[in-house]
């Protein structure tokens, strides 16, 4: 098949994904057990200010909303069309969208949730994908998918997913080749309020809109502070790395690259039709570009939420303030093994002030940068010690470990930590609280997260996340 004409690449179609005047959902079904029904329900339950139009061939109403037999019959402006119908029907609707675009000048973007295209790795699937694009691409109508969940924007309230309606707003943008990966993270983080989302894009087969373009777009998005990417494979890996390298000079780009092994690469191919490529090449390219690579799902989770909430440290000198002995030792071990972090060396005046706060049983600066507060801890002590540490010019970041003990009010401890953190002058130093009692201290963790501090259950995970952030700072300074 001859190559299709290239689309005019402008932000207009991408903007239409996140701030449409109206959204048509083709495949919105009266059946509550169908994806199309759920997409409609979520789309109409947010604060989205535009109109949402169900499209159904025979129903006059779906879920209480007037339905239209085709996108051509919708009276109001429709900038975004969602397709949740069989692949062959998607091809027919694409021609209607093109006709509407010609006649009305709207219909700038399409999200194709449906599967059955190139990801099937069959000639028929590939032909269907080309047929889908044929009337859209020459007109500059942008397509996300097929085989995806589409988009969610917490600021405008637009959503095309069937697994996530509303979500707390924030500075993280997620671009993913797996909707399940992104939704799993967001649902995991939701109970404690661990992260705030700016935008989500599930790209699926990337028949048109791809990760490279989205990373550039999000790099210029004032509502996005950090970009998290779940990646299986790319057609133009070099283009992606160049774009991410450019963006990483201004804001962090964190990538979890799956398909590292031969078997994993085969699984990626059957998932989205992507070619995973040689992992060693990606590794070297990411390092050169200043892209942060997460080695596990948990590391990805921790890294993006630290970068979403905290300021960047100005250096690598760390203070470990611990009210719990064993985890404090583990934390110091991880700092020493990180290869990038150093324990801060307390000055004599700082040691003197700390001695005045802590009980004689506490140890200060043995080793340098380590405070064992065990035996002298009160709720207010957390805040008093943290203030001194953050004011010390020899400290760039703090790790604060506590349970807190059952005889203290956990929310009072959280308030003391937050008061000390926010009392800093700008630019603030990052603080990573580690609370090791699991669900028993959920109220404290929830309060800290709401107050702007990312919490951890395990000290080694907190150190690894901080070490990655410091590497990013070093890389960014080197590139400048």
């Amino acid at each position: 098949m001859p190559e299709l004409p290239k689309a005019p690449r402008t932000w207009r179609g991408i903007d239409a994904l996140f701030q449409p005047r109206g959204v048509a959902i083709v495949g919105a079904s009266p059946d509550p057990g169908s994806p199309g029904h759920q997409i409609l329900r979520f789309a109409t339950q947010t604060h989205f200010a535009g109109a949402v139009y169900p499209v159904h061939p025979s129903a006059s109403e779906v879920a209480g909303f007037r339905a239209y037999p085709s996108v051509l019959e919708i009276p109001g402006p429709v900038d975004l069309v969602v397709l949740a119908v069989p692949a062959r029907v998607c091809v027919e609707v694409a021609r209607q969208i093109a006709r509407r675009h010609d006649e009305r000048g709207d219909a700038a973007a399409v999200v194709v949730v449906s599967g059955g295209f190139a990801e099937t790795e069959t000639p028929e699937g590939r032909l269907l994908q080309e047929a889908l694009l044929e009337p859209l691409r020459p007109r500059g109508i942008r397509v996300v998918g097929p085989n995806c969940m589409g988009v969610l924007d917490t600021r405008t309230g637009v959503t095309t997913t069937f697994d996530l309606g509303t979500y707390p707003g924030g500075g993280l943008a997620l671009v993913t080749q797996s909707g399940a990966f992104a939704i799993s993270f967001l649902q995991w983080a939701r109970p404690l309020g661990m992260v705030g989302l700016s935008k989500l894009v599930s790209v699926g087969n990337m028949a048109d809109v791809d990760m490279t373009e989205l990373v550039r777009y999000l790099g210029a998005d004032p509502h996005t502070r950090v970009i998290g990417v779940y990646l299986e494979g790319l057609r133009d890996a070099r283009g992606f790395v160049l774009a991410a390298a450019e963006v990483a000079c201004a804001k962090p780009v964190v990538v979890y690259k799956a398909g590292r092994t031969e078997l994993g690469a085969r699984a990626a191919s059957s998932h989205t039709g992507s070619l995973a490529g040689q992992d060693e090449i990606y590794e070297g390219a990411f390092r050169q570009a200043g892209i942060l690579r997460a080695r596990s799902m948990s590391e990805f989770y921790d890294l993006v939420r630290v970068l979403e909430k905290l300021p960047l440290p100005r250096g690598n000198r760390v203070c470990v303030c611990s009210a719990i002995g064993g985890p404090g030792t583990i934390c110091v071990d991880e700092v020493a093994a990180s290869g990038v972090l150093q324990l801060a060396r307390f000055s004599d005046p700082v040691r003197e002030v700390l001695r005045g706060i802590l009980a004689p049983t506490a140890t200060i600066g043995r080793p340098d940068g380590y405070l064992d507060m065990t035996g002298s801890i009160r709720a207010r002590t957390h805040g008093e010690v943290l203030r001194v540490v953050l004011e010390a010019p020899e400290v760039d970041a703090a790790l604060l470990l506590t349970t807190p003990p059952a005889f203290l009010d956990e929310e009072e401890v959280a308030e003391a930590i937050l008061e000390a953190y926010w009392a800093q002058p700008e630019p603030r130093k990052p603080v990573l609280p580690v609370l090791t009692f699991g669900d028993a201290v959920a109220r404290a963790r929830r309060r800290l997260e709401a107050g702007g501090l990312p919490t951890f259950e395990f000290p080694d995970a907190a150190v690894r996340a901080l070490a990655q952030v410091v590497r990013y700072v070093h890389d960014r300074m080197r590139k400048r």
Side-chain angles (χ1 to χ4, degrees), residues 262-278:
E262 182 181 347
L263 290 177
R266 287 166 58 187
S269 179
S270 65
H271 177 211
T272 57
S274 300
L275 296 175
Q278 292 186 22

Side-chain angles (χ1 to χ4, degrees), residues 24-26 53-59 67-75 78 81 92-93 96-97 99-100 104:
I25 301 173
V26 182
Y53 304 102
V55 176
H56 191 278
S58 57
Y68 296 85
S70 83
V71 293
L72 296 169
E73 308 301 320
I74 298 172
V78 173
V81 181
E92 296 172 17
V93 177
Q96 297 175 8
I97 293 169
R99 182 179 159 193
R100 180 178 176 108
R104 306 279 191 93

Side-chain angles (χ1 to χ4, degrees), residues 208-240:
D208 177 36
V209 176
D210 62 15
M211 287 195 166
T212 301
E213 192 172 9
L214 288 167
V215 165
R216 286 194 186 281
Y217 182 85
L218 295 167
D221 177 22
H223 308 289
T224 292
R225 180 184 173 93
V226 52
I227 302 170
V229 177
Y230 171 78
L231 173 65
E232 293 186 349
L234 296 164
R235 285 187 294 273
D236 179 15
R238 185 172 183 276
F240 172 80

Side-chain angles (χ1 to χ4, degrees), residues 77-148:
V78 173
D79 293 319
L80 175 61
V81 181
V82 183
L83 302 185
V85 289
R88 289 190 176 282
V89 180
C90 287
V91 174
E92 296 172 17
V93 177
R95 298 190 191 102
Q96 297 175 8
I97 293 169
R99 182 179 159 193
R100 180 178 176 108
H101 178 85
D102 292 345
E103 294 175 352
R104 306 279 191 93
D106 58 7
V110 180
V111 166
V112 186
V113 175
S114 315
F117 295 90
E119 82 281 0
T120 62
E121 298 185 291
T122 64
E124 182 186 12
R126 284 189 281 270
L127 286 172
L128 281 171
Q129 189 160 302
E130 289 300 319
L132 172 76
L133 295 179
E134 190 173 20
L136 305 177
R137 183 177 277 174
R139 292 170 170 82
I141 300 172
R142 307 310 309 273
V143 178
V144 171
N147 183 33
C148 71

Side-chain angles (χ1 to χ4, degrees), residues 55-341:
V55 176
H56 191 278
S58 57
S60 59
E61 175 184 300
V62 177
F65 296 89
R66 179 184 172 183
Y68 296 85
S70 83
V71 293
L72 296 169
E73 308 301 320
I74 298 172
V78 173
D79 293 319
L80 175 61
V81 181
V82 183
L83 302 185
V85 289
R88 289 190 176 282
V89 180
C90 287
V91 174
E92 296 172 17
V93 177
R95 298 190 191 102
Q96 297 175 8
I97 293 169
R99 182 179 159 193
R100 180 178 176 108
H101 178 85
D102 292 345
E103 294 175 352
R104 306 279 191 93
D106 58 7
V110 180
V111 166
V112 186
V113 175
S114 315
F117 295 90
E119 82 281 0
T120 62
E121 298 185 291
T122 64
E124 182 186 12
R126 284 189 281 270
L127 286 172
L128 281 171
Q129 189 160 302
E130 289 300 319
L132 172 76
L133 295 179
E134 190 173 20
L136 305 177
R137 183 177 277 174
R139 292 170 170 82
I141 300 172
R142 307 310 309 273
V143 178
V144 171
N147 183 33
C148 71
M149 287 189 179
V151 302
L152 185 151
D153 187 316
T154 58
R155 191 176 62 85
T156 63
V158 66
T159 178
T160 70
T161 78
F162 51 77
D163 266 345
L164 195 67
T166 59
Y167 202 82
L172 170 66
L174 282 175
V175 183
T176 179
Q177 280 183 287
S178 166
F181 177 92
I183 303 299
S184 297
F185 167 49
L186 295 171
Q187 297 291 36
W188 170 83
R190 187 196 286 266
L192 293 182
M194 288 178 162
V195 77
L197 188 68
S198 59
K199 291 177 174 61
L200 163 69
V201 190
S202 161
V203 294
N205 295 2
M206 293 191 289
D208 177 36
V209 176
D210 62 15
M211 287 195 166
T212 301
E213 192 172 9
L214 288 167
V215 165
R216 286 194 186 281
Y217 182 85
L218 295 167
D221 177 22
H223 308 289
T224 292
R225 180 184 173 93
V226 52
I227 302 170
V229 177
Y230 171 78
L231 173 65
E232 293 186 349
L234 296 164
R235 285 187 294 273
D236 179 15
R238 185 172 183 276
F240 172 80
V241 170
L242 289 174
E246 186 178 318
V247 170
C249 291
K251 61 181 74 171
V253 178
V254 182
V255 174
Y256 184 91
K257 169 70 175 68
R260 291 180 289 114
T261 65
E262 182 181 347
L263 290 177
R266 287 166 58 187
S269 179
S270 65
H271 177 211
T272 57
S274 300
L275 296 175
Q278 292 186 22
D279 193 65
E280 297 79 6
I281 296 175
Y282 276 105
E283 176 72 22
F286 288 173
R287 191 184 311 115
Q288 287 293 320
I291 299 169
L292 289 168
R293 183 174 188 181
R295 299 290 176 183
S296 65
M297 287 179 68
S298 59
E299 187 179 8
F300 180 89
Y301 289 10
D302 291 340
L303 195 46
V304 294
R305 61 195 187 86
V306 165
L307 289 164
E308 195 263 330
K309 288 196 170 176
L310 290 182
L312 297 175
R314 280 163 284 180
N316 65 345
R317 300 166 301 174
V318 178
C319 174
V320 177
C321 310
S322 178
I324 40 180
T329 303
I330 292 169
C331 193
V332 170
D333 265 343
E334 287 292 330
V335 169
S338 70
V340 65
L341 299 176

